[in-house]
Amino acid sequence: MPWTRNDALVAVGAAAVDLTGFALASQSGFGRVPAVGCLLMTVSALPLLARRRAPLPVLGAVLLAGLGLNLSVPTPQHFNAAVVVALFTVVRSRGPAVAVGAGLASAGVPLVGLTRWPPPAVDVAASAASAFLVACAALVVNRWQRDAEAHRRLLADRAVAAERRRIARELHDIVAHHITTMQLMAGGARANLAGDPEVVREALVELEGSGRMALREMRQLLDVLRAGDEPGPPAGDEPGPAAPGPWIDAPQPGIGDLPRIVAESCRAGLPTSFDVRGEERALPPSVGLAVFRIVQEALTNARRHAAGARTSVVLAYGATEVRVDVADDGRGAGPDAAGSATGTARERAGGPGYGLVGMRERVALHGGTLDAGPVAGGGFRVAARLPLALADGRAS
């Protein structure tokens, strides 16, 4: 589409302002409103439809149309709304040299063909001041936009860093849990060296498995720490490392905790179904934790943006991967329901928790993929794929 609805609204608004001013000024100054002048005034605003794609040619077309108006009918006005919009767009999208030339042309061309020549000094000063003010406004908006974009990137970077630290703390808890298990198994094997050999063998097998698992999780923890080689936020922005103690008896949540958070979601007013497909099997703790956090964050987003909507959670086991899919129909009766049906991924991700940022970080850690966005007919869907072959390969 060559132009957007916003471009059309800007063009119509500029034409309406110019026509109103032209009609009032003509009636007051000449006692009549020339029809040709109204037509040319309307035509001068039409190029604004293409102002985003070709700002400089649009400014030239607007100035030429205004010049034709000045040469055709007597007009008491010269620096009109169409010139303001066209010059504003040029200054915002072009460099200083082009902006200066555009400002001079916008100040000078509308003065050509006026009823009095040379034009009075007050008209020249007014035209120059108008062009200067428009250019200054465009520069201020550009500066504000750059600052806003830099602030947005800074917030996004901080959110990524904070999520990586959170993932690192959780993986640290998992590793510590496995090391504690290894310590207990080693102590049990030593205590039974002179007793039952079968008990010793089972303890050593458990010790070997926990060691492999701890090594794999430690490698993933190091991956997170390497990815987060950046200074943290000032003191007080983020909590410190988790205090030792609770992880010994309460490791991080995993696949087995999904029914619990689904039930909590139902109690919170979000009807949620849970379906498991494929042959269930044990997953590496970090993979189970990633699936748990993805489902937890997706359900939180659904409650926040689609209160009362029907939601489904599907966990599918494949030969070399595990997939999780969380979708809502976006037709809830809550205050945000109307917007959820047509919501965008930006709206779902724009909350203070940066939920999609955390999901993507967790999926990327395992070499998987994440798709999140609105679905046809209303609603939102989060689909993650976590390969298991990669996780197993790290243990080798």
Side-chain angles (χ1 to χ4, degrees), residues 248-311:
I248 295 178
D249 295 321
Q252 292 292 340
I255 296 292
D257 297 277
L258 291 182
R260 173 177 58 82
I261 61 171
V262 168
E264 291 175 355
S265 179
C266 293
R267 288 194 297 269
L270 188 74
T272 306
S273 63
F274 180 48
D275 186 20
V276 178
R277 301 174 184 174
E279 182 180 354
E280 296 186 48
R281 61 183 184 275
L283 298 178
S286 59
V287 175
L289 175 60
V291 171
F292 177 86
R293 293 301 186 201
I294 290 170
V295 174
Q296 184 182 48
E297 187 63 42
L299 291 178
T300 300
N301 283 345
R303 287 197 297 270
R304 181 182 303 137
H305 298 280
R310 291 190 300 273
T311 307

Side-chain angles (χ1 to χ4, degrees), residues 57-154:
V58 165
L59 177 60
V62 169
L63 292 177
L64 287 177
L67 181 60
L69 175 65
N70 290 348
L71 297 174
S72 302
V73 297
T75 174
Q77 68 181 81
H78 44 87
F79 204 97
N80 54 31
V83 176
V84 170
V85 174
L87 177 60
F88 182 85
T89 306
V90 169
V91 176
R92 285 209 61 195
S93 59
R94 294 294 185 266
V98 176
V100 170
L104 293 176
S106 299
V109 172
L111 298 175
V112 178
L114 294 182
T115 53
R116 297 176 57 186
W117 190 260
V122 64
D123 285 348
V124 176
S127 184
S130 299
F132 178 76
L133 290 176
V134 171
C136 288
L139 293 176
V140 169
V141 171
N142 276 350
R143 176 63 180 271
W144 172 82
Q145 189 175 43
R146 286 195 300 268
D147 291 345
E149 180 65 19
H151 183 64
R152 187 196 65 79
R153 286 197 300 267
L154 177 62

Side-chain angles (χ1 to χ4, degrees), residues 6-344:
N6 288 340
D7 294 329
L9 291 176
V10 169
V12 171
V17 171
D18 288 342
L19 282 174
T20 302
F22 176 76
L24 293 176
S26 297
Q27 185 66 37
S28 174
F30 308 109
R32 62 188 180 88
V33 180
V36 176
C38 292
L39 177 61
L40 291 176
M41 190 66 75
T42 303
V43 170
S44 68
L46 290 179
L48 296 180
L49 293 173
R51 65 189 181 91
R52 297 181 187 274
R53 294 189 298 115
L56 205 56
V58 165
L59 177 60
V62 169
L63 292 177
L64 287 177
L67 181 60
L69 175 65
N70 290 348
L71 297 174
S72 302
V73 297
T75 174
Q77 68 181 81
H78 44 87
F79 204 97
N80 54 31
V83 176
V84 170
V85 174
L87 177 60
F88 182 85
T89 306
V90 169
V91 176
R92 285 209 61 195
S93 59
R94 294 294 185 266
V98 176
V100 170
L104 293 176
S106 299
V109 172
L111 298 175
V112 178
L114 294 182
T115 53
R116 297 176 57 186
W117 190 260
V122 64
D123 285 348
V124 176
S127 184
S130 299
F132 178 76
L133 290 176
V134 171
C136 288
L139 293 176
V140 169
V141 171
N142 276 350
R143 176 63 180 271
W144 172 82
Q145 189 175 43
R146 286 195 300 268
D147 291 345
E149 180 65 19
H151 183 64
R152 187 196 65 79
R153 286 197 300 267
L154 177 62
L155 291 179
D157 291 342
R158 285 184 175 179
V160 170
E163 187 63 29
R164 285 174 178 169
R165 287 191 293 274
R166 180 188 179 194
I167 294 172
R169 286 195 299 268
E170 292 176 344
L171 289 177
H172 166 269
D173 291 350
I174 292 176
V175 171
H177 177 75
H178 285 300
I179 292 177
T180 301
T181 302
M182 292 166 59
Q183 181 183 10
L184 295 176
M185 291 298 101
R190 179 178 54 82
N192 286 276
L193 283 177
D196 190 351
E198 185 62 26
V199 173
V200 175
R201 190 191 69 81
E202 291 178 359
L204 293 177
V205 170
E206 182 69 22
L207 179 62
E208 181 183 13
S210 295
R212 287 183 180 145
M213 190 71 70
L215 178 60
R216 177 166 64 245
E217 307 301 340
M218 181 65 76
R219 287 173 177 169
Q220 289 188 322
L221 173 60
L222 293 176
D223 287 344
V224 175
L225 295 178
R226 291 192 193 103
D229 282 341
E230 52 188 321
D237 286 5
E238 281 295 316
W247 45 262
I248 295 178
D249 295 321
Q252 292 292 340
I255 296 292
D257 297 277
L258 291 182
R260 173 177 58 82
I261 61 171
V262 168
E264 291 175 355
S265 179
C266 293
R267 288 194 297 269
L270 188 74
T272 306
S273 63
F274 180 48
D275 186 20
V276 178
R277 301 174 184 174
E279 182 180 354
E280 296 186 48
R281 61 183 184 275
L283 298 178
S286 59
V287 175
L289 175 60
V291 171
F292 177 86
R293 293 301 186 201
I294 290 170
V295 174
Q296 184 182 48
E297 187 63 42
L299 291 178
T300 300
N301 283 345
R303 287 197 297 270
R304 181 182 303 137
H305 298 280
R310 291 190 300 273
T311 307
S312 64
V313 177
V314 177
L315 177 66
Y317 293 88
T320 59
E321 65 182 15
V322 61
R323 298 185 305 276
V324 61
D325 189 300
V326 183
D328 65 74
D329 58 17
R331 293 192 292 271
D336 296 330
S340 67
T342 57
T344 63

